[in-house]
Structure formats: C-alpha cells, structure tokens
Amino acid sequence: MSHQDELQKKALELDKKDKLAHFREQFEIGEEIYLDGNSLGRLPKKTVGLISEITQIQWGKRLIRSWNEHWMELPSKVAAKIAQVVGAQADEIFVGDSTSINFYKLAFAALKFQETKTRIITDSLNFPTDIYVLQGLIEQQFKNHSLTIIQSADEQRISDEAISNALDNETALLTLSHVVFKSAYMYDMHKINHLAHQNGALVLWDLSHSAGAVEVNLNESGADLAVGCTYKYLNGGPGAPAFLYVRKDLQEKLHNPIWGWFSHQKPFDFTLNYEAKADIQRFSAGTPSVLSLAAIASGIDISLEAGMKNLREKSVSQTNYLIELIENLLTPIGFTIASPTNSNERGSHISIQHPEGYRINRAMIEPTNDSPVIIPDFRPPNNIRLGIAPLYNTFEEIFRTIIRIKTIVETREFERFGGERLEVV
C-alpha cells in the first residue's frame, strides 16, 4: 500500500469514528466540497422552514402584531444563545447591526471612557476593516490619538512579548483579532487581557474567526469588549447581524456613539430627549432586522447541541490531518504552510501558499473535467485558505481536496486561467 493510500485509509477510519458525523445531515449539502465555512457557513435545513414560517405566518398573516408576539424578544433570545458560545452572560451580548458598526461603537466608547490616554494599539494581521474604523475615529473624533500597528515578522503571528513591549500607561485601547483571518494564528486571550490590564488599557477582541470554531471564554479570560459575526462558523446566513459583548460592570460606564430609539429607555414614549438604557441594550440603535436575525438561531442551536468542546476537538483532529497531508503531498511540489502547526495556536482554517495560489484556487472552483468542485477562498498575495467546519466537513473531503490540488499543480491545469481577479474570491 502506498503512502497516499495509507493517508486515504486514515481519512475513512477517522470518519467512521467521528461522533459528530450525524450533524452533517442537518445542513443543505451539495455535490461540491465546501471549505469556505470560515467565510460563509452552510445553510441549516431548519432555517428554511423557520424563514418560511416567519414570512408566511408572522409577517404574512399576523403583520405588525408579531412585534409583540415574537419580534421584540427576538434579539435577546438570539443573544442568549450567542452568549453560550462565547462564554458570556446573556445580558452581556447585544446582537444586531454589522461587525464594523459594532466595532465602531465599542472602539468609540472605549476611547471616550479612556479620554486621558491617547494611544491605540493593534497589529498588522488584524482584519483591515477594524483598522479602517480606527483610522476614521482618529481622523474624525480623536485627533490627538495615535495608532500603533505592531508588525508581524512572518505574516503569521505576533508574539506576546511584542504586545507587552508596545503597551504603556498611555494606551487607551488594544484591539486584536482573536483568530487571525489569514494565518489562523490564535492569541492567548487570558494572557493578553492580563498584559493590557496591567497597563490600564481596555481590550477589544474581534471574534469573527473564533465564534463557533474555537472555545471562547470571555468571562473567564477577563475580557472587556468583543465583537463578532454570525455568518461564518455559526451558519447564520449571508450578511447576518453581528454581535457585541460588553463586560457587565462596564456597561453603564461606556456610551454608544449612535443614539437610536431602540437604545432609549422608553422607545415607544417617543420623547424628544435621549436617555440611554442602563443595560447592554444601550448599544443597540435602530429597528432589528427580523428576517436575518431569526435565521441565526438554527445554526447556533446545532453548535450548542454538538458542544463547543467537541467541535474544537474535531477541528484540531481535522486540521492536524490536513497539515499531515500538506506536508506529505504538497510541500514537495512547492507549497508552504502559512498557519501555525501547533494546534494550541490556531483556529479552524489552514492557509497554504504557492506562487500560483490564485490560479490554483480558480481551478479548484472551476474544474474542466469530472473533478469535484472544491470551494476554498483566496487571500492576497498568494494564500489559499482551507476552512474546516467540523459540523459538516469530513476527513475524506479533506483528503480529496489535497489530491485535487496536487493534480492541478502537476498537470499545470491552473494555466488556463489568466491573471484577472474575481471581485469575491
């Protein structure tokens, strides 16, 4: 038996032993191999019926009466589910608006609260929109502040020492992605919170590549603030509302810069003077997006049923297996691994690099023969991201993916694509 055959046999054996395998049946699964759940999760089957019920009955027949019957309580119900995923209390989570808007709210609130301090720290691996928001805050509201972007030496990680060296008593806010979007490097949240608090700084975490993928314990780690999206590993649907977290004792101290009627103490009194709510709902703004908000629940329910500890164990097993395949089959033909090989330091996706990364990515998505359609994603300059969603990805899919990539390179199938880029990759 060849080494490749042994690797395939291993995949089949691991799938047979997989205690979470049955959760795959709860999703709409096509013929393609889908390894982009770290950008948009699959559709839960229950979501289809749920949205149908909301549109046809709650909206179609009950009309505005559904606000009192169902919709006013919907944000808090979904928030309570998210809280279980990220290790927070139900009254510390607000769900609504986009990740960028929620990031703006919390960054503004933190800087206003820490107004005697003028330094903001982030890293070069952070998701660009977070950095854009910080730049906009400095340009528009906090003109005396400065932004320090800690540079990564290897484009994979930032050391705890580098974070510690950057912090000082003038630091108002440290903000990082818990799991880095390109390399999947994962910070030690507890350690970073401690370092920041020693210097009197607040920490704002972006959990977009963490929630539903790794075990997050905001309360236990002493986290101050966090934001995250629900359409990746939580399978909430395209553009699903995001969430934010504010530690309970900070809620009355921090002020939402967007004063909207749903954050008013008595929104339906329609008074002309604003009075903010005292709880987490002070970080809301306008009317909840009922259809997209409701769609989040089904995906989170599946994650909670599976259990985050179990999901993390399977994710580690699958990403370890993926790395084994890459080292044996792809490294010899010019690929490098651009993610930590230590599972304690990474999330649930693996980035690989090749000079022809973009065209290889295109060939995976658009095969010309009977090869399977495989959907990863691409991040410049040459990263192919392979996202593992333990709820529905199998070990055999991972094996078939690496064999397909090997074939694309060895046959130079990628050469049929030019250098033009699609808008979404």
Side-chain angles (χ1 to χ4, degrees), residues 1-238:
M1 181 181 292
S2 69
H3 187 44
Q4 182 171 307
D5 289 339
E6 290 175 354
L7 290 169
Q8 183 177 23
K9 181 181 178 182
K10 181 176 182 179
L12 297 174
E13 291 173 348
L14 288 168
D15 279 330
K16 287 180 181 178
K17 296 176 182 177
D18 179 15
K19 62 184 178 182
L20 301 182
H22 63 284
F23 285 102
R24 179 179 168 90
E25 300 171 0
Q26 298 190 38
F27 293 88
E28 295 289 346
I29 304 292
E31 294 182 358
E32 75 284 334
I33 294 175
Y34 190 67
L35 295 177
D36 205 8
N38 52 317
S39 283
L40 174 65
R42 281 193 178 276
L43 170 64
K45 291 179 179 178
K46 287 184 179 179
T47 301
V48 179
L50 175 63
I51 295 301
S52 177
E53 197 275 336
I54 292 173
T55 54
Q56 294 183 31
I57 307 299
Q58 295 181 17
W59 179 15
K61 297 187 182 299
R62 298 304 294 164
L63 294 166
I64 200 167
R65 290 169 290 185
S66 285
W67 279 109
N68 286 324
E69 295 168 357
H70 301 284
W71 300 340
M72 287 301 292
E73 296 180 356
L74 184 60
S76 60
K77 288 182 177 180
V78 176
K81 294 177 186 293
I82 294 173
Q84 295 178 65
V85 173
V86 298
Q89 302 303 307
D91 58 0
E92 294 176 314
I93 299 290
F94 162 78
V95 58
D97 302 317
S98 69
T99 310
S100 297
I101 290 174
N102 285 333
F103 186 87
Y104 171 83
K105 293 176 191 174
L106 295 190
F108 181 101
L111 296 177
K112 191 70 175 175
F113 178 66
Q114 299 266 72
E115 57 186 353
T116 61
K117 301 181 177 186
T118 57
R119 289 192 66 218
I120 307 167
I121 297 175
T122 188
D123 67 14
S124 61
L125 304 178
N126 206 351
F127 197 70
T129 193
D130 293 5
I131 296 177
Y132 302 158
V133 170
L134 297 173
Q135 291 169 341
L137 283 168
I138 292 172
E139 174 69 22
Q140 297 159 11
Q141 287 108 347
F142 298 92
K143 295 184 181 295
N144 293 326
H145 285 59
S146 64
L147 175 62
T148 298
I149 302 177
I150 304 171
Q151 297 297 314
S152 170
D154 60 4
E155 292 301 310
Q156 282 194 37
R157 70 190 74 211
I158 304 285
S159 69
D160 295 342
E161 183 181 10
I163 299 292
S164 180
N165 290 339
L167 290 163
D168 60 23
N169 58 16
E170 290 299 312
T171 304
L173 178 67
L174 168 66
T175 180
L176 303 165
S177 288
H178 180 222
V179 172
V180 172
F181 82 104
K182 279 189 182 179
S183 71
Y185 172 69
M186 181 169 64
Y187 279 103
D188 183 330
M189 183 180 287
H190 185 276
K191 183 180 292 185
I192 297 300
N193 287 337
H194 178 69
L195 290 173
H197 294 163
Q198 283 183 315
N199 289 274
L202 292 176
V203 186
L204 170 54
W205 292 100
D206 189 330
L207 305 179
S208 294
H209 285 83
S210 303
V214 302
E215 292 182 276
V216 179
N217 293 295
L218 291 171
N219 285 166
E220 289 182 16
S221 71
D224 304 312
L225 310 165
V227 298
C229 70
T230 60
Y231 48 77
K232 294 180 172 51
Y233 295 100
L234 294 178
N235 306 293

Side-chain angles (χ1 to χ4, degrees), residues 97 101 104-105 255-260 263 274 282-286:
D97 302 317
I101 290 174
Y104 171 83
K105 293 176 191 174
H255 300 285
N256 181 0
I258 304 174
W259 291 8
S263 64
Y274 181 74
R282 66 169 40 207
F283 292 97
S284 62

Side-chain angles (χ1 to χ4, degrees), residues 19 54 59 137 232 236 262 290 331 359 362 406 415:
K19 62 184 178 182
I54 292 173
W59 179 15
L137 283 168
K232 294 180 172 51
F262 265 68
V290 171
T331 300
R359 295 202 289 175
R362 288 286 303 275
K406 184 173 182 288
E415 290 182 344

